[in-house]
Amino acid sequence: MNAQQKKTMPQPRPDLSVEIAGIRMKNPVTVASGTFGYGREYTHLIDLQALGAITVKGLRMQPWEGNALPRHVEVPGGMVNAIGLQGPGVEGFVRDYLPFLRETGVPVIVNIWGTSINEYGEVAARLSDVAGIDGLEVNISCPNVKEGGASFGADPRTVAELVKAVRRRTRLPLIPKLAPNVPNIRPYAQAAAEAGADAISLINTIPAMVIDIETRRPVLSNKVGGLSGPAIHPVAVKLVWDAAQAVRIPIIAMGGITGPEQAIEFMIAGATAVAVGTATFIDPSTVLRVIAGIEAYLVRHQMYSARELTGSLKV
Ligand SMILES: Cc1cc2nc3c(=O)[nH]c(=O)nc-3n(C[C@H](O)[C@H](O)[C@H](O)COP(=O)(O)O)c2cc1C
C-alpha cells in the first residue's frame, strides 16, 4: 500500500485508554476533586460512564463543614474559592456515596486530607478496607484550611514523610496532589515519587485574594482562597512540564481546562491523564467535549493511541 492509499484508508478509532498507577481508564479524562461533588450530583446532567475516572471531593476522617459563606467569587479568567474542604467524612462517604459510585463501573479516585500525618494515614487505611475505591489522591496542597492541606506540601521533606506514612497504611495507588506555589516543583515531585507515590497530580488552586474596594473588606469570609480556571492554565502547563522532567511516574494534570485544547497541551507537556475542574460549573458537559476532542485530535494527527501524546513536546 502506498502512502497515498494509506492516507485515504479509514483510520481505526484511536485507543483512548491510559493507565495511571494501575488504574485502567478508558480515556485520559477525569474530573477535578471538589468540582464534581461525589458524582451522583451530576447524573442528570451527563453520562458518568463516559468518564475515564471519577475523582471525588476531599474527605477527612470526620464530617467537616468547611468555611463560612461567602466562600467563592468569580474573577476575570476564573474563580477564587475557599470552600475549606467541606465533606461528609469517611464513614458518611462510604455509606451514602460509594455504593452509587461502585455501580457506575467507572474507576473511583478518592481525594483525602487530614489535620495530621496520622489522620492522613487513618483515612487511607479505612478506605483500603472497602471495595470499590481504585486510588487515593492525597491533597497536600489546599490553601484554604489552616488545619491541614498546604502546610504538608510546603516542604519536600514533609511531602516525603507524609507519603511514606500513608504508603505504610494502604496498598491503594497513591497520587499526592502537589502545590503550585513553590519555587521549583521538581524536588517535590521527586520526594513524592521516592516516598512511594504511584503517580502525582497537579495543580491545586493558586493562593489568591479578592478585596471589595467599597467596604475595603476581603470578599471571602476566609479572607484568602485559591484561584482556579483559565487564568491558571499556562502556569499549570509549565509546572506539569517541569514535573514530567523530574519523575517517571505518571502525572494527572489539571488547571484551567475549558476544552480539548488545554487537555491535549497538558498531555504533550507530559501528563498521562487530565482533570476538568472549574469549567464544569459553567458547562457540565465540558468533560465530554474534552474526551471527544482528544479523539478527534488523534484522528487528525494520525495517532493511534492517547498514550502517544504524553510527553510528545518537540523542543
Ligand atoms: C470549588 C472548588 C473546590 C475544590 N476542592 C478541592 C478538594 O476538595 N480537594 C482538592 O485536592 N482540590 C480541590 N480543588 C482544586 C481542583 O481540584 C483543581 O486542582 C483546581 O481547581 C484547578 O483546576 P481547574 O482550574 O480546572 O478548576 C477545588 C477547586 C474548586 C474550584
Side-chain angles (χ1 to χ4, degrees):
M1 194 188 314
N2 65 35
Q4 186 53 38
Q5 281 168 323
K6 204 173 167 190
K7 254 191 178 163
T8 51
M9 285 260 300
Q11 192 192 321
R13 284 188 79 168
D15 176 9
L16 289 185
S17 67
V18 296
E19 198 174 309
I20 288 271
I23 306 168
R24 287 172 190 277
M25 296 170 58
K26 60 175 162 293
N27 62 62
V29 188
T30 181
V31 283
S33 174
T35 63
F36 204 74
Y38 302 92
R40 201 168 63 189
E41 298 88 328
Y42 280 85
T43 37
H44 62 294
L45 294 168
I46 66 163
D47 174 13
L48 296 186
Q49 277 165 356
L51 302 180
I54 298 174
T55 308
V56 302
K57 170 100 188 118
L59 292 176
R60 66 173 296 201
M61 213 58 203
Q62 306 302 331
W64 190 249
E65 279 192 358
N67 295 322
L69 299 175
R71 47 191 194 176
H72 74 274
V73 54
E74 210 173 311
V75 294
M79 66 185 275
V80 177
N81 94 83
I83 305 294
L85 300 177
Q86 180 184 358
V90 169
E91 298 310 326
F93 168 74
V94 169
R95 188 188 58 234
D96 300 335
Y97 297 99
L98 187 59
F100 166 83
L101 284 167
R102 249 187 231 132
E103 269 174 31
T104 64
V106 177
V108 175
I109 300 174
V110 177
N111 182 286
I112 65 168
W113 69 283
T115 55
S116 63
I117 289 184
N118 190 47
E119 185 177 357
Y120 275 92
E122 300 266 293
V123 176
R126 174 67 185 103
L127 290 172
S128 303
D129 289 342
V130 291
I133 295 173
D134 297 274
L136 299 178
E137 182 177 54
V138 187
N139 182 2
I140 53 173
S141 49
C142 180
N144 303 330
V145 280
K146 283 184 223 65
E147 295 83 355
S151 52
F152 294 106
D155 176 344
R157 281 167 303 191
T158 324
V159 171
E161 197 189 332
L162 190 144
V163 174
K164 268 188 206 151
V166 180
R167 178 75 293 164
R168 280 196 288 273
R169 307 289 300 268
T170 182
R171 287 205 183 150
L172 285 172
L174 280 188
I175 312 166
K177 183 162 176 180
L178 303 183
N181 48 318
V182 293
N184 177 3
I185 197 82
R186 293 178 192 214
Y188 295 83
Q190 281 161 347
E194 282 160 20
D198 302 285
I200 49 174
S201 65
L202 64 158
I203 62 173
N204 211 317
T205 56
I206 299 178
M209 185 175 191
V210 182
I211 295 171
D212 179 333
I213 58 167
E214 294 309 320
T215 61
R216 280 184 266 149
R217 289 179 190 282
V219 170
L220 298 173
S221 74
N222 191 52
K223 299 187 188 69
V224 296
L227 176 65
S228 62
I232 71 171
H233 179 67
V235 177
V237 172
K238 158 82 163 63
L239 288 163
V240 166
W241 185 62
D242 281 346
Q245 311 298 303
V247 293
R248 286 172 172 275
I249 53 176
I251 295 174
I252 306 179
M254 64 281 286
I257 295 180
T258 51
E261 297 80 7
Q262 295 80 32
I264 293 164
E265 204 179 346
F266 272 141
M267 294 181 77
I268 294 172
T272 298
V274 296
V276 177
T278 300
T280 295
F281 296 138
I282 298 162
D283 176 2
S285 70
T286 306
V287 64
L288 304 182
R289 202 158 45 76
V290 170
I291 297 166
I294 294 173
E295 180 166 1
Y297 178 92
L298 294 174
V299 171
R300 192 153 49 81
H301 287 263
Q302 301 202 319
M303 294 167 119
Y304 295 97
S305 159
R307 297 185 293 277
E308 285 178 56
L309 267 181
T310 298
S312 61
L313 183 73
K314 296 178 185 169
V315 277

